[in-house]
Amino acid sequence: MKIHYRLTSIIITLFAFMPLLSNAKQYNVERVIDGDTFVTDDGDRVRLIGLDAPEANDCYADKSKNYLDRLIGGKTVTLKFDEDKRDQYDRLRAYVYHNGFINRKLLQKGYDTVLTVEPNSQYADTFTRDQTAAQTNGRGVWSHCDDIITDYLPG
């Protein structure tokens, strides 16, 4: 009876997590383009959901790109998708995982800022809290980049 109960529990748990597993896929990162975009070894461009990295000539752009490259460059990552799997430029839109939640790491360290694009907003509140903590503690762009800090000041 005990074995039957345990087997039933395992089966129920597997079925409960099937949608999560079917919504995730592993990819190899070929190269990082900037602090919120990379290319997989099969040629797909991937844009991290909920983030906006400094553009090429902006303050902190190189640091943002280099940090993302250090986290995932040449590695196998797991992508989890939200409502819209691709954006208007045909890039995959994903939450990225490799030794943790990469989207959050970038925000927590202040390498990127929050950019919520509906309907992909599953972690919008969490991302906003991460950015607020980075701002409060003067991390990354929040201690070095007057142009970004000015963009987020009220009025």
Side-chain angles (χ1 to χ4, degrees):
M1 184 72 163
K2 192 174 188 179
I3 293 173
H4 183 289
Y5 174 75
R6 187 172 192 158
L7 183 58
T8 303
S9 294
I10 291 170
I11 291 169
I12 290 170
T13 302
L14 285 174
F15 278 111
F17 286 101
M18 287 293 270
L20 294 176
L21 296 174
S22 67
N23 193 25
K25 187 173 177 191
Q26 288 196 316
Y27 290 82
N28 295 314
V29 177
E30 177 155 316
R31 70 183 171 91
V32 172
I33 295 173
D34 60 23
D36 59 26
T37 309
F38 63 91
V39 178
T40 65
D41 64 354
D42 64 359
D44 266 320
R45 282 183 179 238
V46 180
R47 172 73 188 256
L48 281 75
I49 295 174
L51 306 183
D52 191 28
E55 297 303 321
N57 293 319
D58 290 344
C59 176
Y60 234 69
D62 289 338
K63 291 184 185 213
S64 177
K65 176 186 176 183
N66 292 340
Y67 184 67
L68 182 59
D69 192 44
R70 204 165 58 238
L71 292 174
I72 66 170
K75 298 180 173 109
T76 300
V77 297
T78 300
L79 303 185
K80 183 176 175 251
F81 305 103
D82 207 326
E83 295 293 320
D84 286 344
K85 190 173 179 178
R86 294 201 179 260
D87 66 11
Q88 69 269 26
Y89 306 108
D90 200 37
R91 297 176 295 193
L92 288 172
R93 303 273 297 153
Y95 303 109
V96 180
Y97 297 86
H98 178 79
N99 293 330
F101 193 176
I102 301 301
N103 305 55
R104 289 195 69 197
K105 286 182 180 185
L106 287 160
L107 290 166
Q108 290 167 342
K109 298 280 188 178
Y111 286 101
D112 290 20
T113 58
V114 172
L115 175 65
T116 303
V117 178
E118 295 293 343
N120 293 349
S121 58
Q122 180 179 355
Y123 295 103
D125 292 340
T126 301
F127 290 171
T128 300
R129 284 192 299 275
D130 290 339
Q131 176 175 284
T132 300
Q135 282 176 292
T136 301
N137 293 299
R139 291 188 203 117
V141 296
W142 306 110
S143 65
H144 298 286
C145 303
D146 291 336
D147 55 334
I148 291 175
I149 293 168
T150 302
D151 290 343
Y152 283 85
L153 290 175

